[in-house]
Amino acid sequence: MKARWWWLLGLLFMLSAYAEVAVPELKQRVTDLTATLNVAQIQTLETKLADFEGKKGSQIGVLIIPTTKPETIEQYSIRVVEKWKLGRKGVDDGVLLLVAKNDRKLRIEVGRGLEGALNDATAKRIIAEIITPAFKQGDFAGGIAAGTDSIIKVVNGEVLPPPPKIEHYIPEQTPPNPIVLIILGLTLLAFVIFFISQVTQSSTPALNGVSIGGVDKPKQQEKDYSKQSWLYVLLEVLKVVIAVSDSRSGGGGGGGFSGGGSSGSW
Amino acid sequence: MRKLLILFVTIWLTGCGYNDFQLKDEQVKAAWSEVLNQYKRRADLVPNLVSVVQGYAQHEQAVFIGVSAARASVGNIQATPELINDPAAFAKFQEAQGQMTSALSRLMVVVEKYPELKADKGFRDLQAQLEGTENRITVARNRYIQSVQDYNVLARSFPTNLTAKMFDYTVKPSFTVENEKAISDAPKVDFTPAPAVQGK
C-alpha cells in the first residue's frame, strides 16, 4: 500500500518535470521575468507602448522569459496570446514581442487584424535586421526598444478604427447573458419562497422546529434535512451563476491571433 | 421528494444538450474553415516559391516535379466544409496535404545548397511567408482538434449521447497522431526522378 503511494508521488514529480512553462498574468505591457531590463528601461518602454495604445488603439506586449522549453517558441507564444488576448476585440490588433533569453530565440506574434501591414516577411526583417544585431552585442534593452519602435512605425501605416476615449485596457461591459439572468431570478424567487416557508413554520410552537429529543421526532428531523438540502442546492446554483458571469474577464482587450508573425534566433 | 428534486435540478442544469450541439457544431465548422483557409494560403504560395528557386537551381528537377505533383493532388480534392462529415475523404485530404508538406520541406533542403538563393531578398520574404503559414496551419489544426474533442465528448457522454442519437450527430474525425508523425518525419532526399509522374 505504502509503495503504491510512493509510486504515485514519483509520477507526480515526473509530471511536474515535463510541465510546460506557465504563462504569467498580464499586469503591464512589459513583463520581464529574467531581470534583463532595469526599472527605468521598463518604465520608458511601458510609457511608449501605453502612449501608442492611446493614440492608435493597438496593443503591443513585451514578454521576456528564460526559456520556453519543452515547447517551441511558437507553441508557447500562441498560448501567451490566447491567454492575454492583446488587441481590441474584433479589430484583433495586438502584437507580442516574446524573447526566450536562454534559448536565444525570439518571436513577433501578430494579431489577425495586423497581418496585412506587419506581415510575416516584415516581422522577419524586423527580427533579422533590427533586433538580433543588438541582441548579438548583448544589448537587450536597445534591441527591444528599436524593435518595438519599428513595429509601431509599421502599425502606424495601417488604417485602423480610432481608439476609444477611455482606456480600453478595461474590458468593455457586455450585457449579461439572459439565461444567467433567468437563473438568477429563479434562484432569488426560490430563496424568497424558502424564507417565507421558514417564517410560517416558526409560527408553530418553537419546540417543534428545534428537535431536542431527536429520537422521538424522526419525521421532524427528516423535514429539517430536506430543508437544508434545498438551501445547499440553491447555494450551489448561485456559485455556478457567479462563476459563469465572472468567466469573461481577460487581461487584454480580446484580440484574436491565428499564428502569424515570425521567429528568429541570435 | 428529495429524489424528485435532484432529478429536476440535474435536468435543469445539464439539459438535453441540444443547444450545446448547435454551438459546438458551429465551432467545429469555423475551426475547419480556418484549416482549409491556411492550407489554401500555402498552396497559393507554392508557384511563387518554385519560380524563385528555379531561377537559381534549374537542375533540381526531381524536387520541382515532386512539389507540382503534390500541388496537383491537393488541388484535385474538393476542399469543402462537408469534408468533416466524411471520414474517408477527410483521410484523403490529410494525406495529400501531408505530401505537400514533405515536398515543400524537400524543396527547402535543396535550397541549402545555393547560397546566392538564400541571400535573395525575394526568396527570404517568401521563406518567411512559408514559415508563417506552416505555423498558422499548426495553430489552425490544433484549434480544430480541440473543437472536435469538445464536440465528440458531448456526442459520447451521457445524457447528451441520447440527443446525439436522436438527431443523428455522429462523432467527427480529427487529425490523428499517425499522420502527424508521417508529416513531421524528415523527408527522404531522393534525386532519382519519379517515372510515374514524368510520363505526364
Side-chain angles (χ1 to χ4, degrees), chain A residues 177 180 183-184 187 234-250, chain B residues 13:
Chain A
N177 192 336
V180 170
I183 294 174
L184 208 70
T187 314
L234 287 176
L235 277 174
E236 284 302 307
V237 169
L238 207 69
K239 259 192 234 167
V240 168
V241 170
I242 288 166
V244 164
S245 54
D246 247 17
S247 62
R248 65 191 156 78
S249 60
Chain B
L13 285 182

mmCIF file of all heavy atoms in Angstrom, chain A residues 177 180 183-184 187 234-250, chain B residues 13:
data_model
loop_
_atom_site.group_PDB
_atom_site.id
_atom_site.type_symbol
_atom_site.label_atom_id
_atom_site.label_comp_id
_atom_site.label_asym_id
_atom_site.label_seq_id
_atom_site.Cartn_x
_atom_site.Cartn_y
_atom_site.Cartn_z
ATOM 1 N N ASN A 177 -25.742 37.766 -19.912
ATOM 2 C CA ASN A 177 -26.406 36.666 -20.598
ATOM 3 C C ASN A 177 -27.836 36.505 -20.069
ATOM 4 O O ASN A 177 -28.045 36.433 -18.869
ATOM 5 C CB ASN A 177 -25.587 35.406 -20.285
ATOM 6 C CG ASN A 177 -25.981 34.251 -21.153
ATOM 7 O OD1 ASN A 177 -27.100 34.209 -21.655
ATOM 8 N ND2 ASN A 177 -25.070 33.331 -21.308
ATOM 9 N N VAL A 180 -28.390 33.591 -17.710
ATOM 10 C CA VAL A 180 -27.861 33.831 -16.367
ATOM 11 C C VAL A 180 -28.866 34.635 -15.555
ATOM 12 O O VAL A 180 -29.135 34.336 -14.388
ATOM 13 C CB VAL A 180 -26.505 34.573 -16.465
ATOM 14 C CG1 VAL A 180 -26.066 35.037 -15.090
ATOM 15 C CG2 VAL A 180 -25.457 33.688 -17.084
ATOM 16 N N ILE A 183 -31.788 32.417 -14.502
ATOM 17 C CA ILE A 183 -31.406 31.519 -13.404
ATOM 18 C C ILE A 183 -31.305 32.297 -12.101
ATOM 19 O O ILE A 183 -31.800 31.878 -11.058
ATOM 20 C CB ILE A 183 -30.069 30.810 -13.719
ATOM 21 C CG1 ILE A 183 -30.251 29.877 -14.896
ATOM 22 C CG2 ILE A 183 -29.590 30.021 -12.500
ATOM 23 C CD1 ILE A 183 -28.971 29.246 -15.374
ATOM 24 N N LEU A 184 -30.714 33.470 -12.194
ATOM 25 C CA LEU A 184 -30.560 34.320 -11.021
ATOM 26 C C LEU A 184 -31.929 34.665 -10.447
ATOM 27 O O LEU A 184 -32.158 34.595 -9.233
ATOM 28 C CB LEU A 184 -29.807 35.593 -11.423
ATOM 29 C CG LEU A 184 -28.994 36.243 -10.316
ATOM 30 C CD1 LEU A 184 -27.794 35.382 -9.975
ATOM 31 C CD2 LEU A 184 -28.543 37.624 -10.735
ATOM 32 N N THR A 187 -33.515 31.673 -8.807
ATOM 33 C CA THR A 187 -32.850 31.379 -7.549
ATOM 34 C C THR A 187 -33.365 32.312 -6.451
ATOM 35 O O THR A 187 -33.682 31.884 -5.345
ATOM 36 C CB THR A 187 -31.326 31.546 -7.694
ATOM 37 O OG1 THR A 187 -30.928 30.896 -8.881
ATOM 38 C CG2 THR A 187 -30.596 30.955 -6.522
ATOM 39 N N LEU A 234 -29.481 25.434 -3.687
ATOM 40 C CA LEU A 234 -29.588 26.831 -4.105
ATOM 41 C C LEU A 234 -28.236 27.527 -4.072
ATOM 42 O O LEU A 234 -27.873 28.272 -4.984
ATOM 43 C CB LEU A 234 -30.565 27.567 -3.195
ATOM 44 C CG LEU A 234 -32.035 27.219 -3.425
ATOM 45 C CD1 LEU A 234 -32.914 27.921 -2.418
ATOM 46 C CD2 LEU A 234 -32.442 27.607 -4.834
ATOM 47 N N LEU A 235 -27.474 27.242 -3.017
ATOM 48 C CA LEU A 235 -26.154 27.857 -2.905
ATOM 49 C C LEU A 235 -25.252 27.412 -4.057
ATOM 50 O O LEU A 235 -24.520 28.218 -4.636
ATOM 51 C CB LEU A 235 -25.509 27.484 -1.569
ATOM 52 C CG LEU A 235 -25.943 28.359 -0.389
ATOM 53 C CD1 LEU A 235 -25.369 27.824 0.903
ATOM 54 C CD2 LEU A 235 -25.519 29.799 -0.614
ATOM 55 N N GLU A 236 -25.329 26.121 -4.394
ATOM 56 C CA GLU A 236 -24.504 25.600 -5.484
ATOM 57 C C GLU A 236 -24.855 26.281 -6.796
ATOM 58 O O GLU A 236 -23.994 26.681 -7.568
ATOM 59 C CB GLU A 236 -24.708 24.076 -5.620
ATOM 60 C CG GLU A 236 -23.995 23.266 -4.564
ATOM 61 C CD GLU A 236 -22.503 23.512 -4.563
ATOM 62 O OE1 GLU A 236 -21.878 23.380 -5.631
ATOM 63 O OE2 GLU A 236 -21.951 23.842 -3.493
ATOM 64 N N VAL A 237 -26.172 26.418 -7.034
ATOM 65 C CA VAL A 237 -26.638 27.076 -8.260
ATOM 66 C C VAL A 237 -26.094 28.500 -8.323
ATOM 67 O O VAL A 237 -25.589 28.956 -9.348
ATOM 68 C CB VAL A 237 -28.180 27.074 -8.321
ATOM 69 C CG1 VAL A 237 -28.665 27.983 -9.435
ATOM 70 C CG2 VAL A 237 -28.683 25.666 -8.526
ATOM 71 N N LEU A 238 -26.164 29.170 -7.176
ATOM 72 C CA LEU A 238 -25.685 30.543 -7.119
ATOM 73 C C LEU A 238 -24.200 30.601 -7.460
ATOM 74 O O LEU A 238 -23.746 31.474 -8.190
ATOM 75 C CB LEU A 238 -25.927 31.094 -5.711
ATOM 76 C CG LEU A 238 -26.089 32.611 -5.660
ATOM 77 C CD1 LEU A 238 -27.387 33.004 -6.326
ATOM 78 C CD2 LEU A 238 -26.062 33.097 -4.228
ATOM 79 N N LYS A 239 -23.436 29.631 -6.947
ATOM 80 C CA LYS A 239 -21.999 29.576 -7.217
ATOM 81 C C LYS A 239 -21.742 29.446 -8.715
ATOM 82 O O LYS A 239 -20.887 30.125 -9.273
ATOM 83 C CB LYS A 239 -21.384 28.370 -6.497
ATOM 84 C CG LYS A 239 -20.669 28.723 -5.207
ATOM 85 C CD LYS A 239 -19.870 27.534 -4.746
ATOM 86 C CE LYS A 239 -20.218 27.161 -3.317
ATOM 87 N NZ LYS A 239 -19.703 25.849 -2.940
ATOM 88 N N VAL A 240 -22.513 28.537 -9.352
ATOM 89 C CA VAL A 240 -22.354 28.312 -10.792
ATOM 90 C C VAL A 240 -22.639 29.599 -11.555
ATOM 91 O O VAL A 240 -21.893 30.006 -12.451
ATOM 92 C CB VAL A 240 -23.282 27.167 -11.269
ATOM 93 C CG1 VAL A 240 -23.333 27.129 -12.790
ATOM 94 C CG2 VAL A 240 -22.820 25.841 -10.701
ATOM 95 N N VAL A 241 -23.719 30.276 -11.161
ATOM 96 C CA VAL A 241 -24.101 31.512 -11.848
ATOM 97 C C VAL A 241 -23.006 32.551 -11.718
ATOM 98 O O VAL A 241 -22.621 33.209 -12.692
ATOM 99 C CB VAL A 241 -25.430 32.048 -11.259
ATOM 100 C CG1 VAL A 241 -25.709 33.442 -11.769
ATOM 101 C CG2 VAL A 241 -26.561 31.108 -11.602
ATOM 102 N N ILE A 242 -22.450 32.662 -10.515
ATOM 103 C CA ILE A 242 -21.385 33.643 -10.299
ATOM 104 C C ILE A 242 -20.169 33.283 -11.148
ATOM 105 O O ILE A 242 -19.563 34.142 -11.788
ATOM 106 C CB ILE A 242 -21.013 33.710 -8.800
ATOM 107 C CG1 ILE A 242 -22.150 34.395 -8.039
ATOM 108 C CG2 ILE A 242 -19.720 34.478 -8.595
ATOM 109 C CD1 ILE A 242 -22.069 34.237 -6.551
ATOM 110 N N ALA A 243 -19.850 31.989 -11.189
ATOM 111 C CA ALA A 243 -18.692 31.548 -11.966
ATOM 112 C C ALA A 243 -18.882 31.877 -13.442
ATOM 113 O O ALA A 243 -17.952 32.342 -14.106
ATOM 114 C CB ALA A 243 -18.471 30.052 -11.787
ATOM 115 N N VAL A 244 -20.101 31.642 -13.959
ATOM 116 C CA VAL A 244 -20.373 31.904 -15.373
ATOM 117 C C VAL A 244 -20.230 33.385 -15.687
ATOM 118 O O VAL A 244 -19.606 33.781 -16.659
ATOM 119 C CB VAL A 244 -21.787 31.395 -15.752
ATOM 120 C CG1 VAL A 244 -22.228 31.985 -17.074
ATOM 121 C CG2 VAL A 244 -21.795 29.881 -15.797
ATOM 122 N N SER A 245 -20.784 34.231 -14.813
ATOM 123 C CA SER A 245 -20.745 35.656 -15.112
ATOM 124 C C SER A 245 -19.352 36.228 -14.905
ATOM 125 O O SER A 245 -19.020 37.285 -15.427
ATOM 126 C CB SER A 245 -21.768 36.400 -14.264
ATOM 127 O OG SER A 245 -21.564 36.102 -12.908
ATOM 128 N N ASP A 246 -18.515 35.524 -14.151
ATOM 129 C CA ASP A 246 -17.167 36.007 -13.888
ATOM 130 C C ASP A 246 -16.185 35.640 -15.000
ATOM 131 O O ASP A 246 -15.175 36.284 -15.166
ATOM 132 C CB ASP A 246 -16.659 35.379 -12.585
ATOM 133 C CG ASP A 246 -16.491 36.420 -11.503
ATOM 134 O OD1 ASP A 246 -17.071 37.504 -11.689
ATOM 135 O OD2 ASP A 246 -15.794 36.156 -10.521
ATOM 136 N N SER A 247 -16.519 34.584 -15.744
ATOM 137 C CA SER A 247 -15.509 33.951 -16.582
ATOM 138 C C SER A 247 -15.085 34.797 -17.782
ATOM 139 O O SER A 247 -14.132 34.470 -18.453
ATOM 140 C CB SER A 247 -16.036 32.611 -17.086
ATOM 141 O OG SER A 247 -17.181 32.846 -17.873
ATOM 142 N N ARG A 248 -15.775 35.901 -18.053
ATOM 143 C CA ARG A 248 -15.420 36.620 -19.274
ATOM 144 C C ARG A 248 -14.348 37.682 -19.060
ATOM 145 O O ARG A 248 -13.972 38.394 -19.979
ATOM 146 C CB ARG A 248 -16.660 37.236 -19.902
ATOM 147 C CG ARG A 248 -17.278 38.296 -19.057
ATOM 148 C CD ARG A 248 -18.636 38.683 -19.575
ATOM 149 N NE ARG A 248 -19.426 39.239 -18.526
ATOM 150 C CZ ARG A 248 -19.289 40.469 -18.084
ATOM 151 N NH1 ARG A 248 -18.372 41.257 -18.589
ATOM 152 N NH2 ARG A 248 -20.048 40.915 -17.121
ATOM 153 N N SER A 249 -13.828 37.808 -17.841
ATOM 154 C CA SER A 249 -12.791 38.808 -17.639
ATOM 155 C C SER A 249 -11.465 38.303 -18.210
ATOM 156 O O SER A 249 -11.078 37.165 -17.994
ATOM 157 C CB SER A 249 -12.649 39.106 -16.154
ATOM 158 O OG SER A 249 -12.295 37.934 -15.472
ATOM 159 N N GLY A 250 -10.778 39.146 -18.977
ATOM 160 C CA GLY A 250 -9.487 38.771 -19.549
ATOM 161 C C GLY A 250 -8.507 39.907 -19.364
ATOM 162 O O GLY A 250 -8.881 41.004 -18.988
ATOM 163 N N LEU B 13 -29.908 21.717 -14.972
ATOM 164 C CA LEU B 13 -28.548 22.213 -15.177
ATOM 165 C C LEU B 13 -27.917 21.672 -16.466
ATOM 166 O O LEU B 13 -27.224 22.391 -17.165
ATOM 167 C CB LEU B 13 -27.671 21.846 -13.982
ATOM 168 C CG LEU B 13 -27.921 22.685 -12.730
ATOM 169 C CD1 LEU B 13 -26.961 22.267 -11.635
ATOM 170 C CD2 LEU B 13 -27.770 24.158 -13.021
#
